[in-house]
Amino acid sequence: MLEEVERWLPRRSWSVSDRPLERVLAAKRGTTVSVVLPALNEEATVGDIVGVIRRELMTGAVPLVDELVVIDSGSTDRTAEVAAAAGARVVARDDILPRIPAVPGKGEVLWRSLMVTSGEVVCFVDADLKDFSADFVTGIVGPLLTDPDVDFVKAMYDRPFGDTPGQGGRVTELVARPLLNLHWPRLAGFVQPLGGEYAARRSLLERLPFPVGYGVELGLLVDALHTVGLDALAQVDVGVRKHRHQDGQALGRMAAAIYRTAQLRLSRGHLVRPRLTQFERGENGFVPHTYAVDTEERPPMAEITEYARRRVA
């Protein structure tokens, strides 16, 4: 590990208990906070997450979160209905910036969320979390309110796989961590570089391009490093993260997209074929299925005309 990272780790790695809620609230001083949940068919969990945030962080006694928005990216279940009933403002992905046709992908949803939120601090939380705790929000928002030198905060946590502790995050260990250690060693200290729970200042997010798909977490982390430097990045231990796990083939597609995102940042020159072929056993043997993994990217939101007009207004 680089000496710079060894020095960074104890200085920019905290536990949620290091900043009691009272201290975080006292440091808010009028800074507005938006929480965004990107959601696609998450009716089983999104309501509980929204309910916890509403009850514990959006009351007269604890006014930490100013707006809570669920961006529904085309759910076919009751995600939008459940989220609204629990107290979130629900916005359909396709209703945001309609002049730019939406494409599938989590990063697309996060990018568009900047257009329909107003908080100076934006906190992203995945909508498939189980046994959700408000610590996921207070932990990563806290440093942005108490330390003006911090611009971007990732959550870190244990990720059990079923009943086995510490075995989640397979794409992190097999793809993202090797990529970061080899090509961006200054980011080698992040425990959960692909985690979906992170918060940042809007002034930073609006300057970053957003990969539209699975590569968004790695892309934002790498670009934040180059934009504001390592000392402006931090991580907070929020305990244990339980969520819905994907199957091996879905993870393969995720890994390919993450590699593609890294490749785009390493070189804008010749690129390998952005396709991934996987196999499934059919009645007559193995059947190939080929998927596109070309990771389209959205430009920094500050370059979007509608966003600029909104800021002026």
CSV table of all heavy atoms in Angstrom, one decimal, residues 45-79:
chain,number,residue,atom,x,y,z
A,45,THR,N,-38.7,-4.1,-0.1
A,45,THR,CA,-37.8,-3.4,0.8
A,45,THR,C,-37.9,-1.9,0.8
A,45,THR,O,-37.6,-1.3,1.8
A,45,THR,CB,-36.4,-3.8,0.5
A,45,THR,OG1,-36.1,-3.6,-0.9
A,45,THR,CG2,-36.1,-5.3,0.8
A,46,VAL,N,-38.3,-1.3,-0.3
A,46,VAL,CA,-38.3,0.2,-0.4
A,46,VAL,C,-39.1,0.9,0.7
A,46,VAL,O,-38.7,1.9,1.2
A,46,VAL,CB,-38.6,0.6,-1.8
A,46,VAL,CG1,-40.1,0.4,-2.1
A,46,VAL,CG2,-38.3,2.1,-2.0
A,47,GLY,N,-40.3,0.3,1.0
A,47,GLY,CA,-41.1,0.9,2.0
A,47,GLY,C,-40.5,1.0,3.4
A,47,GLY,O,-40.6,2.0,4.1
A,48,ASP,N,-39.8,-0.1,3.8
A,48,ASP,CA,-39.2,-0.1,5.1
A,48,ASP,C,-38.1,1.0,5.1
A,48,ASP,O,-37.9,1.6,6.2
A,48,ASP,CB,-38.6,-1.5,5.4
A,48,ASP,CG,-39.7,-2.5,5.6
A,48,ASP,OD1,-40.8,-2.1,6.0
A,48,ASP,OD2,-39.4,-3.7,5.5
A,49,ILE,N,-37.3,1.1,4.1
A,49,ILE,CA,-36.2,2.1,4.1
A,49,ILE,C,-36.7,3.5,4.1
A,49,ILE,O,-36.3,4.3,5.0
A,49,ILE,CB,-35.3,1.9,2.8
A,49,ILE,CG1,-34.7,0.5,2.7
A,49,ILE,CG2,-34.3,3.0,2.7
A,49,ILE,CD1,-34.0,0.1,1.4
A,50,VAL,N,-37.7,3.8,3.3
A,50,VAL,CA,-38.4,5.1,3.4
A,50,VAL,C,-38.9,5.4,4.8
A,50,VAL,O,-38.8,6.5,5.3
A,50,VAL,CB,-39.4,5.2,2.3
A,50,VAL,CG1,-40.3,6.5,2.5
A,50,VAL,CG2,-38.8,5.2,0.9
A,51,GLY,N,-39.6,4.4,5.3
A,51,GLY,CA,-40.2,4.6,6.6
A,51,GLY,C,-39.2,4.9,7.7
A,51,GLY,O,-39.4,5.8,8.6
A,52,VAL,N,-38.1,4.2,7.7
A,52,VAL,CA,-37.0,4.4,8.7
A,52,VAL,C,-36.5,5.9,8.6
A,52,VAL,O,-36.3,6.6,9.6
A,52,VAL,CB,-35.9,3.4,8.6
A,52,VAL,CG1,-34.7,3.9,9.4
A,52,VAL,CG2,-36.3,2.0,9.0
A,53,ILE,N,-36.2,6.3,7.4
A,53,ILE,CA,-35.7,7.6,7.2
A,53,ILE,C,-36.7,8.7,7.6
A,53,ILE,O,-36.4,9.7,8.2
A,53,ILE,CB,-35.3,7.8,5.7
A,53,ILE,CG1,-34.1,6.9,5.4
A,53,ILE,CG2,-34.9,9.3,5.4
A,53,ILE,CD1,-33.7,6.8,3.9
A,54,ARG,N,-38.0,8.5,7.2
A,54,ARG,CA,-39.0,9.4,7.6
A,54,ARG,C,-39.2,9.5,9.1
A,54,ARG,O,-39.2,10.6,9.7
A,54,ARG,CB,-40.4,9.0,7.0
A,54,ARG,CG,-40.4,9.1,5.5
A,54,ARG,CD,-40.6,10.5,5.0
A,54,ARG,NE,-41.8,11.2,5.6
A,54,ARG,CZ,-42.1,12.4,5.3
A,54,ARG,NH1,-41.4,13.2,4.4
A,54,ARG,NH2,-43.2,13.0,5.8
A,55,ARG,N,-39.2,8.4,9.8
A,55,ARG,CA,-39.4,8.4,11.2
A,55,ARG,C,-38.2,8.9,12.0
A,55,ARG,O,-38.4,9.5,13.1
A,55,ARG,CB,-39.8,7.0,11.7
A,55,ARG,CG,-41.1,6.4,11.3
A,55,ARG,CD,-41.5,5.2,12.0
A,55,ARG,NE,-40.5,4.1,11.9
A,55,ARG,CZ,-40.4,3.2,10.9
A,55,ARG,NH1,-41.3,3.3,10.0
A,55,ARG,NH2,-39.5,2.3,10.9
A,56,GLU,N,-37.0,8.6,11.6
A,56,GLU,CA,-35.8,8.8,12.4
A,56,GLU,C,-35.0,10.0,12.0
A,56,GLU,O,-34.2,10.6,12.8
A,56,GLU,CB,-34.9,7.6,12.4
A,56,GLU,CG,-35.6,6.4,13.0
A,56,GLU,CD,-34.7,5.2,13.2
A,56,GLU,OE1,-33.5,5.4,13.3
A,56,GLU,OE2,-35.2,4.0,13.2
A,57,LEU,N,-35.2,10.5,10.7
A,57,LEU,CA,-34.3,11.6,10.3
A,57,LEU,C,-35.1,12.8,9.6
A,57,LEU,O,-34.4,13.7,9.2
A,57,LEU,CB,-33.3,11.0,9.2
A,57,LEU,CG,-32.4,9.9,9.7
A,57,LEU,CD1,-31.6,9.4,8.5
A,57,LEU,CD2,-31.6,10.3,10.9
A,58,MET,N,-36.4,12.7,9.6
A,58,MET,CA,-37.2,13.8,9.0
A,58,MET,C,-38.3,14.2,9.9
A,58,MET,O,-39.5,14.4,9.5
A,58,MET,CB,-37.8,13.3,7.7
A,58,MET,CG,-36.7,12.9,6.7
A,58,MET,SD,-37.4,12.4,5.0
A,58,MET,CE,-37.9,14.0,4.4
A,59,THR,N,-38.0,14.4,11.2
A,59,THR,CA,-39.0,14.9,12.2
A,59,THR,C,-38.6,16.3,12.7
A,59,THR,O,-37.5,16.7,12.4
A,59,THR,CB,-39.1,13.9,13.3
A,59,THR,OG1,-37.8,13.9,14.1
A,59,THR,CG2,-39.3,12.5,12.9
A,60,GLY,N,-39.5,16.9,13.4
A,60,GLY,CA,-39.2,18.1,14.1
A,60,GLY,C,-38.0,18.1,15.0
A,60,GLY,O,-37.2,19.0,15.1
A,61,ALA,N,-37.9,16.9,15.7
A,61,ALA,CA,-36.8,16.8,16.6
A,61,ALA,C,-35.5,16.4,15.9
A,61,ALA,O,-34.4,16.7,16.4
A,61,ALA,CB,-37.1,15.7,17.7
A,62,VAL,N,-35.6,15.7,14.8
A,62,VAL,CA,-34.4,15.3,14.0
A,62,VAL,C,-34.6,15.7,12.6
A,62,VAL,O,-34.9,14.8,11.7
A,62,VAL,CB,-34.1,13.8,14.2
A,62,VAL,CG1,-32.8,13.4,13.5
A,62,VAL,CG2,-34.1,13.3,15.6
A,63,PRO,N,-34.3,16.9,12.2
A,63,PRO,CA,-34.5,17.4,10.8
A,63,PRO,C,-33.3,17.3,10.0
A,63,PRO,O,-32.8,18.3,9.4
A,63,PRO,CB,-34.9,18.9,11.0
A,63,PRO,CG,-34.2,19.3,12.2
A,63,PRO,CD,-34.1,18.1,13.1
A,64,LEU,N,-32.7,16.1,9.9
A,64,LEU,CA,-31.5,15.9,9.2
A,64,LEU,C,-31.7,15.9,7.7
A,64,LEU,O,-30.9,16.5,6.9
A,64,LEU,CB,-30.7,14.6,9.6
A,64,LEU,CG,-29.4,14.4,8.9
A,64,LEU,CD1,-28.4,15.4,9.3
A,64,LEU,CD2,-28.9,13.0,9.3
A,65,VAL,N,-32.7,15.1,7.2
A,65,VAL,CA,-32.9,15.0,5.8
A,65,VAL,C,-34.0,15.9,5.4
A,65,VAL,O,-35.1,15.9,6.0
A,65,VAL,CB,-33.3,13.5,5.5
A,65,VAL,CG1,-33.7,13.4,4.0
A,65,VAL,CG2,-32.2,12.6,5.8
A,66,ASP,N,-33.8,16.7,4.3
A,66,ASP,CA,-34.7,17.7,3.9
A,66,ASP,C,-35.7,17.2,2.8
A,66,ASP,O,-36.8,17.6,2.7
A,66,ASP,CB,-34.0,18.9,3.4
A,66,ASP,CG,-33.2,19.6,4.5
A,66,ASP,OD1,-33.8,20.3,5.3
A,66,ASP,OD2,-32.0,19.4,4.5
A,67,GLU,N,-35.2,16.2,2.0
A,67,GLU,CA,-36.0,15.6,1.0
A,67,GLU,C,-35.6,14.2,0.7
A,67,GLU,O,-34.4,13.9,0.8
A,67,GLU,CB,-36.0,16.4,-0.3
A,67,GLU,CG,-34.7,16.5,-1.1
A,67,GLU,CD,-34.9,17.3,-2.4
A,67,GLU,OE1,-36.0,17.5,-2.9
A,67,GLU,OE2,-33.8,17.6,-3.0
A,68,LEU,N,-36.6,13.4,0.5
A,68,LEU,CA,-36.4,11.9,0.3
A,68,LEU,C,-37.1,11.6,-1.0
A,68,LEU,O,-38.3,11.7,-1.1
A,68,LEU,CB,-37.0,11.2,1.4
A,68,LEU,CG,-37.0,9.6,1.3
A,68,LEU,CD1,-35.6,9.1,1.1
A,68,LEU,CD2,-37.6,9.0,2.6
A,69,VAL,N,-36.3,11.2,-2.0
A,69,VAL,CA,-36.9,10.9,-3.4
A,69,VAL,C,-36.5,9.5,-3.8
A,69,VAL,O,-35.4,9.1,-3.8
A,69,VAL,CB,-36.3,11.9,-4.4
A,69,VAL,CG1,-36.9,11.7,-5.8
A,69,VAL,CG2,-36.5,13.4,-3.9
A,70,VAL,N,-37.5,8.8,-4.3
A,70,VAL,CA,-37.4,7.5,-4.9
A,70,VAL,C,-37.5,7.7,-6.4
A,70,VAL,O,-38.5,8.2,-6.9
A,70,VAL,CB,-38.4,6.5,-4.4
A,70,VAL,CG1,-38.3,5.2,-5.2
A,70,VAL,CG2,-38.1,6.2,-2.9
A,71,ILE,N,-36.5,7.3,-7.2
A,71,ILE,CA,-36.5,7.4,-8.6
A,71,ILE,C,-36.8,6.0,-9.1
A,71,ILE,O,-36.0,5.1,-9.0
A,71,ILE,CB,-35.2,7.9,-9.2
A,71,ILE,CG1,-34.7,9.2,-8.5
A,71,ILE,CG2,-35.3,8.1,-10.7
A,71,ILE,CD1,-35.5,10.4,-8.8
A,72,ASP,N,-38.0,5.9,-9.7
A,72,ASP,CA,-38.5,4.6,-10.2
A,72,ASP,C,-38.1,4.4,-11.6
A,72,ASP,O,-38.5,5.2,-12.5
A,72,ASP,CB,-40.0,4.5,-10.0
A,72,ASP,CG,-40.6,3.1,-10.5
A,72,ASP,OD1,-39.8,2.2,-10.5
A,72,ASP,OD2,-41.8,3.1,-10.8
A,73,SER,N,-37.3,3.4,-11.9
A,73,SER,CA,-36.8,3.3,-13.3
A,73,SER,C,-37.5,2.2,-14.1
A,73,SER,O,-36.9,1.4,-14.7
A,73,SER,CB,-35.3,2.9,-13.2
A,73,SER,OG,-35.0,1.8,-12.5
A,74,GLY,N,-38.9,2.3,-14.0
A,74,GLY,CA,-39.7,1.4,-14.8
A,74,GLY,C,-40.1,0.1,-14.1
A,74,GLY,O,-40.3,-0.9,-14.8
A,75,SER,N,-40.4,0.2,-12.8
A,75,SER,CA,-40.8,-1.0,-12.1
A,75,SER,C,-42.1,-1.5,-12.6
A,75,SER,O,-43.0,-0.8,-13.0
A,75,SER,CB,-40.9,-0.7,-10.6
A,75,SER,OG,-39.7,-0.3,-10.0
A,76,THR,N,-42.2,-2.9,-12.6
A,76,THR,CA,-43.5,-3.5,-13.0
A,76,THR,C,-44.2,-4.0,-11.8
A,76,THR,O,-45.3,-4.6,-11.9
A,76,THR,CB,-43.2,-4.7,-13.9
A,76,THR,OG1,-42.3,-5.6,-13.3
A,76,THR,CG2,-42.6,-4.2,-15.2
A,77,ASP,N,-43.7,-3.8,-10.6
A,77,ASP,CA,-44.4,-4.2,-9.4
A,77,ASP,C,-44.9,-3.0,-8.7
A,77,ASP,O,-45.1,-1.9,-9.3
A,77,ASP,CB,-43.5,-5.0,-8.4
A,77,ASP,CG,-42.3,-4.2,-7.9
A,77,ASP,OD1,-42.2,-3.0,-8.3
A,77,ASP,OD2,-41.5,-4.8,-7.2
A,78,ARG,N,-45.2,-3.0,-7.4
A,78,ARG,CA,-45.8,-1.9,-6.6
A,78,ARG,C,-44.7,-1.0,-6.0
A,78,ARG,O,-45.0,-0.3,-5.0
A,78,ARG,CB,-46.7,-2.5,-5.6
A,78,ARG,CG,-47.9,-3.3,-6.1
A,78,ARG,CD,-48.7,-3.9,-5.0
A,78,ARG,NE,-49.3,-2.9,-4.1
A,78,ARG,CZ,-48.9,-2.8,-2.9
A,78,ARG,NH1,-47.9,-3.5,-2.4
A,78,ARG,NH2,-49.4,-1.9,-2.1
A,79,THR,N,-43.5,-0.9,-6.5
A,79,THR,CA,-42.5,-0.1,-5.9
A,79,THR,C,-42.9,1.3,-5.7
A,79,THR,O,-42.8,1.9,-4.6
A,79,THR,CB,-41.2,-0.2,-6.8
A,79,THR,OG1,-40.6,-1.5,-6.7
A,79,THR,CG2,-40.2,0.8,-6.3
